[in-house]
Structures are given as C-alpha cells and as structure tokens.
Amino acid sequence: MTDTTDTTDGTELVCRAVLFDLDGVLVASGTVVERSWTEWARRQGLAPERVLAACHGKRSKDVVAALAPHLDAPAEASRLEAVQAADADGLTRCTGAEAVLAALAGVAWAVVTSGTRALATSRLRGVGLPVPDVLVTADDVSSGKPAPDGYLTAAAALGARAADCVVVEDARPGVTAARAAGMAVVGIRGPALGPEEELDRVVDSVGDLAPRVRAQRIVLLGRAPVTRPKEAS
C-alpha cells in the first residue's frame, strides 16, 4: 500500500511502482500536439479552441469520435499521429525527467500514454529518454483514459498491486483513470490538470519528485505540497 509520511518538507510518498503519463510529464510535446490538432480542426471546419480543450490526455481516436462522429476515427487518428511522430520541432524533455528516470533504474516504473506505441517510442527516443520495459499505449487497451485500463495493465505487468502504485499525471482524464484504478496521484501543475485539492501531491515539474530508492521501495518527495481546505468544525 502507498504510504504517506509527514516530513519537514511536506508529504513523502512511499510506493513500489511509479506509473508516468508521457506527454506533459516526461516529454514536453504541447507545441507539437496543439499544432497538429489545430491544423486538423481547421481542415474539418471545427473551432480549434474547442478541439484543443478536448484533446489533452485522451486517445486521438476517442477525440475524433467525440468531435467528428461522421469520420473514420481510427483512420483519422492514425494520420494525426503519423504527422505528430514526424514533427520534432519544439519537442523537449520535461524539466528533471532524465534525472528522475535515472534515479529509478532497477526498480518498477512504467509509462502509460494515450498515444500509440509508435508515437510514444518516437517521442521518448527523440528527446533522449529510455523506452521502459513496460510501456502501455493506446494500442494495448480497449478503453483509454479516463478508463483505468492502462494503469491497471501497467501495474499487472510490473507485478504491483494498484494500492502500491503512484501515478504522475498532468491531465484530468489521466487523473480520473488513476483514481478509478485505486492509485495515488501526483499532479504536474498546469491548465489541464483539474482541481488540485483532489490530488495526493502537486508539483511544478516531474523533477520535483526527487525520487530515492530505499530497500526496494520508492520514496517520492515533492517540494510543493497541496494545501487542502480545512474541514468545518
């Protein structure tokens, strides 16, 4: 079970596995994502603002199906992600991502993304981050985020119970998926995250997690604890 221990810096999370979302957590791909979706919206005669508000944290085919149900969603999604995979302009590592993954070498961690395997591996390799042994993508689940399937699949592949996992997310659909899976959630602060008070921890970047390994357990110590509202007396 994920432990929460008070420390002088805030709240320490102790777990056996860390499950990372990809975009906005490990790879800063927002420019690429928004560029491709904006172009797609204009081709379809849709307001780009509406599309951008809906696209973060979800599988491309689910977004297409919701916004343009008359289209062949899998085919449209395939074309969109091919464009994104070929577009590395503006693609970078998120702050601290390289150090965080290096600190977790030899322990259980995974990436769970709404993108396809081809897109995920392209982005990880493109910014010089390792492709994990456990990479759960849109290709691997029947229901994408906000359904819990991806996170549950990753936990099972790592041999970890859901209660022993911490998820790191930057988008509301992923937070909902992690909660539905019964996992603790650390949020990366940003406009797509949703209400911070619903999370176990909120940090400015993945690097703030400052992970340490202690007796095969992972200690995450973010430096920006959530201020929870006081209960009425």
Side-chain angles (χ1 to χ4, degrees):
M1 183 176 182
T2 304
D3 298 323
T4 303
T5 306
D6 289 336
T7 70
T8 56
D9 293 320
T11 301
E12 186 178 86
L13 292 177
V14 183
C15 61
R16 293 196 179 276
V18 184
L19 312 181
F20 297 96
D21 176 41
L22 178 61
D23 298 294
V25 174
L26 298 176
V27 178
S29 57
T31 300
V32 175
V33 170
E34 295 196 357
R35 184 161 52 234
S36 69
W37 278 109
T38 296
E39 291 172 356
W40 178 84
R42 287 172 176 158
R43 287 198 305 273
Q44 304 305 327
L46 298 172
E49 298 80 8
R50 179 185 173 209
V51 174
L52 294 179
C55 71
H56 293 288
K58 298 178 183 178
R59 296 186 300 181
S60 296
K61 66 180 182 180
D62 294 335
V63 176
V64 172
L67 296 179
H70 60 288
L71 297 177
D72 181 337
E76 288 293 317
S78 179
R79 284 190 285 269
L80 268 164
E81 297 210 352
V83 168
Q84 290 183 23
D87 183 3
D89 186 16
L91 202 67
T92 61
R93 289 190 294 264
C94 290
T95 302
E98 185 176 19
V100 165
L101 297 186
L104 295 175
V107 295
W109 67 277
V111 169
V112 180
T113 176
S114 295
T116 60
R117 183 166 298 272
L119 181 59
T121 55
S122 171
R123 284 188 175 155
L124 286 165
R125 289 171 178 156
V127 299
L129 292 177
V131 177
D133 292 337
V134 177
L135 171 61
V136 180
T137 73
D139 304 319
D140 303 314
V141 294
S142 57
S143 297
K145 301 173 186 178
D149 303 36
Y151 285 119
L152 292 172
T153 298
L158 292 170
R161 297 185 309 154
D164 290 329
C165 297
V166 170
V167 169
V168 187
E169 267 285 356
D170 76 316
R172 183 67 175 171
V175 171
T176 302
R179 284 299 193 211
M183 299 175 183
V185 188
V186 175
I188 304 296
R189 186 171 281 115
L193 184 61
E196 293 186 3
E197 64 272 13
E198 296 181 10
L199 304 172
D200 296 281
R201 205 84 173 90
V202 179
V203 294
D204 291 319
S205 73
V206 69
D208 290 335
L209 295 176
R212 294 171 288 135
V213 179
R214 185 173 65 204
Q216 291 301 301
R217 292 178 72 81
I218 302 164
V219 181
L220 303 175
L221 179 58
R223 293 184 287 275
V226 174
T227 301
R228 297 186 181 277
K230 294 181 179 180
E231 295 182 4
S233 57

